[in-house]
Amino acid sequence: MRRRTIAVALAVATATSLLIAPQASAAQQIQWQQCFEPGTPGLPPGGERLECGSFTAPMNWNNPRNGKTITIAVSRLKPRNGTAKQTIFTNPGGPGAPGVTLPLVYLDRPKLSDNAEIIGIDVRGTGASSNVTCDGFDAEGVTDPRDRGRANLDLLYGSMKKQAELCQARSGEFGRFVTTDQTVKDLDLLRQLLGKRKVSWLGYSGGSWVGAYYATYFPKTLDKIVLDSNVEFTAPWQDSFDDWGMGFERRFRTDFLPWVAKYDSTYHLGKTAEEVRQSYERARVKLNKEPVTRPEGVYNGVQLDLLLRAVMYRSKDFPLGAQIFAELAGATPALLKAQAGYPDAANATAYSLFCNDTKFRGGREFLERESAANGAKWPLVGYYQVMGPCAFWDRPNVHLKHPNGIGAPKTLMVQSVRDPATPLEGAQRAHQRFTNSVLLTVENEGDHGIYGVGSNSCVNDVVESYFIDGVTPAKDLTCQGVPLPVPGEVAPNPAENARQLAAHIRR
């Protein structure tokens, strides 16, 4: 009786979702082809199995028959034996990061990649999909937000206003439809085109937001859901960034500074965490007075902040980050390496989602007060305001459904206790408000992104048992984190390799 009820519910859900898609969209076929040329540098064993394709979707799902369409780029990694127990949609976060190479990460996780069809997606706005743009402009880094002089504040907030205007003007009509509401409808169209009644979801960071909303809009078409490194997806985007300064400062002081001090014989930045922190402050002042020019760019105090912020995401980056920090501080000989910037389309997609999805509270006066208060408490990142351009954004009339987990399958949330970018506190609040979720807390850990991209066997086993064996945790649980690296002994990171390979995909 219960099976028959489920089957009827699935049939109704599928029929309802088909009504959303125009007939032409639902009838199209994805033309798959091999993603990479043979011998592509850096392609991992098995990477030749990754196939790429694309499909079209309405630009505006609220008016799908107006003839305006966009392209969504996708990939799929089939199991080695060709038989998949399930299909898993993946998302690397950002939000707005391209995702077509993400399935390659799971070649190192044979239990998953040998039993599931893994789908990579460049969501609308980014990667090889139809793009939005900010014309290459990003207000972050234009000037030092610690300088609270009136002229500098005018430059700082004038730059945010300029970014908002450029993003919207250059992206045109399409930019107003780069929203989570539109994105999840693209995803359900993809599910239909793949001929699947149900799919599963694996999303990191901003991908936890998309996954929670996909579960809200289409709860009956999801089988299993894993959300790793969670934004506070049950609240507006702005709430998720309220804890940023605190999160990065905690990671900086608890993990990074003591680690650098431990290896003072390598980095010469101080024998205690406080001595290393003072080295950072001195280097920052020095670089603002005398920027260091290298072939790859100019490093001032702001660039030092942004470098260290980036390093906090993954402990495997501690050695290189500390080395560059030491070089900029003049403590070791210069061996600087170029740092890759965030692609314009990915950046523009992130801001379109931030500023279109949910309302931003406050204007310039609010931003000034918030920056000063947060910076005083959390100086590494607290002065920076990632969502600042949203204060100047001409927001379209978007009303997202509220994610509460009702009707969705059991959701497994994975979260490290010192995650800097999506702090534990926001994840815990989302867990409390998202019905039928369980939280896997990773103790003594601060990495952002745990499952599959690191070496935590406990987390990997729990996630794969859930996906492949159907073992659903009955209650919240914990795993222990992995030790911090030793300089010179850092293993290659499959996620970073996948990102680098994106440039070599056959189009």
Side-chain angles (χ1 to χ4, degrees):
M1 180 66 176
R2 187 167 182 272
R3 287 184 181 178
R4 185 174 182 275
T5 302
I6 292 172
V8 171
L10 284 172
V12 172
T14 301
T16 302
S17 61
L18 279 169
L19 290 175
I20 294 173
Q23 193 67 28
S25 293
Q28 65 186 298
Q29 291 186 340
I30 299 174
Q31 302 299 316
W32 297 102
Q33 65 174 2
Q34 193 174 28
C35 289
F36 295 98
E37 295 282 1
T40 299
L43 189 66
E48 67 281 354
R49 302 203 322 261
L50 189 69
E51 296 178 308
C52 286
S54 65
F55 65 96
T56 60
M59 178 189 290
N60 177 12
W61 278 99
N62 297 322
N63 186 12
R65 292 178 175 83
N66 67 2
K68 297 178 181 179
T69 62
I70 60 169
T71 299
I72 306 294
V74 292
S75 67
R76 67 177 180 185
L77 183 69
K78 288 186 172 182
R80 192 173 283 108
N81 64 8
T83 303
K85 292 183 177 179
Q86 61 180 289
T87 295
I88 302 175
F89 285 7
T90 61
N91 185 290
V100 292
T101 59
L102 183 58
L104 295 175
V105 169
Y106 309 110
L107 289 169
D108 283 349
R109 304 302 314 161
K111 184 170 183 178
L112 190 77
S113 59
D114 286 354
N115 290 284
E117 177 185 42
I118 304 172
I119 304 297
I121 306 155
D122 287 354
V123 296
R124 59 168 56 207
T126 195
S129 297
S130 296
N131 279 187
V132 287
T133 178
C134 292
D135 208 27
F137 184 80
D138 191 343
E140 189 170 58
V142 166
T143 190
D144 189 348
R146 286 200 193 187
D147 180 350
R148 308 310 290 176
R150 181 53 50 187
N152 195 64
L153 292 177
D154 287 345
L155 176 58
L156 177 65
Y157 295 112
S159 297
M160 292 183 185
K161 184 173 186 289
K162 177 182 177 181
Q163 180 175 345
E165 292 170 349
L166 276 174
C167 292
Q168 294 198 278
R170 297 294 189 266
S171 298
E173 180 186 13
F174 177 38
R176 302 181 71 80
F177 301 112
V178 177
T179 69
T180 298
D181 174 271
Q182 301 280 342
T183 296
V184 297
K185 292 170 184 175
D186 295 339
L187 295 174
D188 201 61
L189 172 58
L190 173 59
R191 176 194 62 79
Q192 296 171 48
L193 296 177
L194 294 173
K196 307 297 179 181
R197 295 177 66 186
K198 282 194 173 187
V199 295
S200 293
W201 181 264
L202 171 57
Y204 301 84
S205 190
S208 68
W209 176 282
V210 179
Y213 276 92
Y214 190 16
T216 300
Y217 280 72
F218 302 101
K220 300 305 180 183
T221 65
L222 281 167
D223 183 15
K224 297 178 175 66
I225 311 171
V226 173
L227 309 178
D228 190 316
S229 304
N230 297 264
V231 300
E232 191 177 348
F233 49 77
T234 54
W237 275 116
Q238 192 172 0
D239 291 30
S240 295
F241 285 95
D242 284 347
D243 290 335
W244 245 46
M246 177 275 293
F248 278 96
E249 197 75 23
R250 179 167 59 195
R251 171 73 150 164
F252 185 55
R253 291 177 182 258
T254 305
D255 291 339
F256 182 73
L257 294 177
W259 181 89
V260 175
K262 178 180 178 181
Y263 297 104
D264 183 58
S265 61
T266 299
Y267 302 115
H268 311 293
L269 288 165
K271 294 183 179 356
T272 67
E274 179 57 22
E275 288 179 358
V276 178
R277 193 186 70 81
Q278 291 297 332
S279 291
Y280 153 68
E281 291 290 349
R282 287 193 300 271
R284 196 182 190 286
V285 172
K286 177 184 175 183
L287 288 168
N288 274 341
K289 291 180 179 178
E290 301 175 6
V292 173
T293 302
R294 301 287 178 185
E296 67 273 12
V298 177
Y299 293 81
N300 57 21
V302 170
Q303 295 305 315
L304 176 60
D305 292 347
L306 299 181
L307 165 72
L308 292 175
R309 187 181 76 184
V311 168
M312 296 306 104
Y313 281 82
R314 304 281 301 162
S315 61
K316 62 119 187 142
D317 292 328
F318 281 14
L320 178 58
Q323 179 63 38
I324 296 174
F325 171 20
E327 292 161 11
L328 291 172
T332 64
L335 295 170
L336 284 170
K337 298 183 180 180
Q339 301 299 300
Y342 206 50
D344 173 57
N347 196 47
T349 301
Y351 278 100
S352 297
L353 292 169
F354 291 155
C355 304
N356 287 338
D357 273 356
T358 55
K359 293 180 180 179
F360 187 84
R361 304 180 302 274
R364 172 169 167 168
E365 290 184 1
F366 165 81
L367 290 173
E368 288 190 20
R369 291 194 305 270
E370 181 190 57
S371 177
N374 289 345
K377 291 183 290 185
W378 310 304
L380 178 65
V381 170
Y383 288 101
Y384 294 87
Q385 296 169 298
V386 172
M387 285 195 64
C390 295
F392 309 97
W393 200 270
D394 179 19
R395 183 173 177 266
N397 187 25
V398 175
H399 299 281
L400 298 180
K401 295 182 179 181
H402 182 70
N404 54 27
I406 295 174
K410 181 77 79 173
T411 299
L412 174 60
M413 300 171 62
V414 180
Q415 188 71 35
S416 70
V417 295
R418 289 191 296 278
D419 186 322
T422 54
L424 175 66
E425 291 81 355
Q428 289 174 328
R429 290 190 291 268
H431 168 45
Q432 291 166 2
R433 299 168 185 161
F434 201 70
T435 299
N436 210 26
S437 64
V438 292
L439 182 63
L440 168 56
T441 303
V442 188
E443 305 283 356
N444 301 307
E445 179 63 78
D447 274 11
H448 179 70
I450 304 293
Y451 170 69
V453 297
S455 57
N456 193 307
S457 58
C458 175
V459 172
N460 291 342
D461 288 347
V462 171
V463 171
E464 289 168 3
S465 293
Y466 171 64
F467 269 138
I468 304 304
D469 302 325
V471 178
T472 304
K475 59 182 180 179
D476 293 351
L477 65 165
T478 62
C479 284
Q480 288 300 310
V482 299
L484 295 176
V486 175
E489 298 182 7
V490 179
N493 184 279
E496 180 59 33
N497 187 51
R499 284 191 290 271
Q500 292 173 354
L501 280 166
H504 299 283
I505 284 183
R506 297 169 66 182
R507 302 299 184 197

